[in-house]
Amino acid sequence: MANNSTIAVKFEKISRYFGEIKAVENLSFSVKEGEFFSMLGPSGSGKTTCLRLIAGFEIPDSGNLYIDNREMSNTPPYDRDVNTVFQSYALFPHMSVEENITYCLMLKKIKKRERLKKGEEMLELVQLPGLGNRKPSELSGGQRQRVALARALINHPSVLLLDEPLGALDLKLREKMQIELKDLQRKIGITFIYVTHDQQEALSMSDRIAVFNNGQIEQIGTTKEIYETPRTLFVADFVGSSNVIHGKLSEQIFDKNASFTIRPERIRILPLSEETPSNQEICISGKVTDIQYQGANFKYMVLLDGQHEIVVQQQNLRPNTKHLFQPKIGQEVRLVWNRLDSNEVIL
Ligand code: ATP
């Protein structure tokens, strides 16, 4: 991150309705300059509306929007120092890659030689050197998205908005592009605001994430905060998977009638005979009801007290690894985890 204290974009009590539908309601949050900020949430939760509000394609019904500390709610899109990259690339099919990338320089009447030079620089930046003469139809999906990126970055906007830009790519290419995007953002230091419904994508690239639900933000935090200390059950469930402990079981384990989450990979599965764990650890016994082989991991379903099912994830280590315990279906086991790994959540 370039600078922790300067605010690039600020929402102040912003609402946007479409007739009866509340797309976003009374939203207040800030994105810091140089930050990779992701808006994560299910379909219809209001992410794209926020992006469109920043770009100027939507105007708030109430509230104020600041970009670089200037109120911008009613400023048209072309007067905002932001650019957008869409999932659909939105390249001009009849123009070459170079013409696509330098289109905005042409509109500004920049001389051809300078445009070419700048275009080549941008192609280098997005790792497509020498492809300037091709047409978009002669490129792969990943290459087209790189061209769209180069085009959006050529006039060095203060904020780059990315609306599910990798959504059309297959998994392997998406993962490769995630690494490239993060590297690129580090290199150029521009604020990236990234919309996605893919929690893994948000976790792997972002400095901070805002988790959206039903037009509101459930939680904003660093990737670690969002994953390790989710504030609500929705966040715990949407970002990764969680076991939820409540009711009688919660009273039994935590002496409190509340809801707690625990991640499957933080639970150890041990034979009944093992010695008692420390005070800091929670220990509870149950019976394995199912085992799923997932390649890199095994997933064990363990039934506690005949009604609560807990999921445990264990790495698929070599069978002769020291202290490795791989129970069978029907076997009685003990589940052990550190108290600090249980996290109280709001329902
Ligand atoms: P997705 O991931 O599917 O794009 P999203 O989280 O980006 O979803 P938005 O596109 O912001 O969600 O939509 C929020 C709500 O506002 C939804 O209920 C949507 O149907 C509604 N909405 C968005 N744009 C319009 C519009 N132009 N007219 C009517 N309703 C709209």
Side-chain angles (χ1 to χ4, degrees), residues 18 21-24 41-50 58 163-164 195 197:
F18 296 103
I21 300 165
K22 83 175 182 209
V24 296
S43 183
S45 57
K47 313 174 297 284
T48 300
T49 301
C50 285
E58 300 288 349
D163 195 357
E164 306 244 11
V195 160
H197 62 264

Side-chain angles (χ1 to χ4, degrees), residues 229-266:
T229 46
R231 208 173 59 81
T232 65
L233 187 56
F234 178 86
V235 175
D237 239 13
F238 194 77
V239 184
S241 55
S242 272
N243 293 291
V244 184
I245 294 169
H246 48 77
K248 279 209 176 95
L249 190 61
S250 144
E251 280 178 22
Q252 183 191 328
I253 298 178
F254 302 105
D255 281 334
K256 187 172 180 187
N257 188 354
S259 294
F260 291 85
T261 57
I262 168 78
R263 298 288 186 192
E265 71 274 15
R266 289 291 169 97

Side-chain angles (χ1 to χ4, degrees), residues 81-335:
D81 192 12
V82 301
N83 252 337
T84 310
V85 177
F86 301 97
Q87 185 186 116
S88 59
Y89 321 128
L91 300 176
F92 302 120
H94 58 286
M95 288 185 189
S96 70
V97 164
E98 187 266 326
E99 285 164 343
N100 263 284
I101 293 177
T102 57
Y103 183 69
C104 74
L105 302 185
M106 199 176 73
L107 293 183
K108 286 184 187 161
K109 309 243 183 305
I110 307 276
K111 288 212 176 80
K112 182 151 189 194
R113 193 184 324 156
E114 200 175 326
R115 286 202 317 258
L116 278 173
K117 183 169 168 279
K118 202 82 183 100
E120 260 319 305
E121 273 172 30
M122 294 313 293
L123 282 169
E124 289 276 344
L125 183 71
V126 297
Q127 300 179 33
L128 291 177
L131 295 193
N133 290 327
R134 291 213 193 156
K135 288 272 160 53
S137 60
E138 295 166 330
L139 300 177
S140 70
Q143 289 171 329
R144 279 180 216 175
Q145 196 50 285
R146 289 194 191 117
V147 175
L149 256 175
R151 186 180 58 181
L153 288 170
I154 198 160
N155 54 359
H156 208 86
S158 119
V159 178
L160 186 69
L161 307 173
L162 302 107
D163 195 357
E164 306 244 11
L166 309 182
L169 308 178
D170 65 54
L171 180 64
K172 280 265 176 247
L173 184 55
R174 209 158 66 220
E175 286 173 351
K176 184 167 175 276
M177 291 287 292
Q178 285 167 13
I179 297 168
E180 280 185 23
L181 260 183
K182 181 70 200 172
D183 276 355
L184 181 71
Q185 191 263 345
R186 265 196 215 110
K187 203 184 293 173
I188 57 181
I190 288 177
T191 310
F192 275 29
I193 304 184
Y194 194 97
V195 160
T196 181
H197 62 264
D198 180 339
Q199 43 105 13
Q200 206 51 53
E201 188 160 283
L203 286 175
S204 62
M205 289 191 290
S206 318
D207 294 311
R208 285 191 310 147
I209 299 176
V211 183
F212 279 71
N213 182 22
N214 200 18
Q216 314 236 299
I217 292 179
E218 292 257 333
Q219 187 172 358
I220 296 191
T222 62
T223 48
K224 193 164 185 281
E225 283 162 356
I226 294 286
Y227 188 77
E228 296 190 10
T229 46
R231 208 173 59 81
T232 65
L233 187 56
F234 178 86
V235 175
D237 239 13
F238 194 77
V239 184
S241 55
S242 272
N243 293 291
V244 184
I245 294 169
H246 48 77
K248 279 209 176 95
L249 190 61
S250 144
E251 280 178 22
Q252 183 191 328
I253 298 178
F254 302 105
D255 281 334
K256 187 172 180 187
N257 188 354
S259 294
F260 291 85
T261 57
I262 168 78
R263 298 288 186 192
E265 71 274 15
R266 289 291 169 97
I267 306 176
R268 283 181 295 140
I269 193 160
L270 300 174
L272 280 182
S273 54
E274 292 254 323
E275 66 197 53
T276 320
S278 72
N279 275 349
Q280 190 52 30
E281 288 181 313
I282 287 164
C283 175
I284 191 150
S285 54
K287 190 182 201 170
V288 177
T289 56
D290 197 15
I291 304 171
Q292 278 178 13
Y293 174 77
Q294 299 185 314
N297 299 299
F298 284 103
K299 205 163 139 184
Y300 294 95
M301 260 57 80
V302 179
L303 195 64
L304 312 177
D305 64 19
Q307 42 175 315
H308 275 87
E309 193 161 74
I310 296 272
V311 178
V312 182
Q313 188 177 304
Q314 187 171 273
Q315 231 186 316
N316 183 6
L317 300 172
R318 284 198 70 74
N320 58 358
T321 304
K322 208 173 167 190
H323 301 308
L324 180 67
F325 174 56
Q326 291 181 321
K328 308 249 176 312
I329 292 179
Q331 196 168 343
E332 296 282 343
V333 294
R334 290 184 321 151
L335 303 183

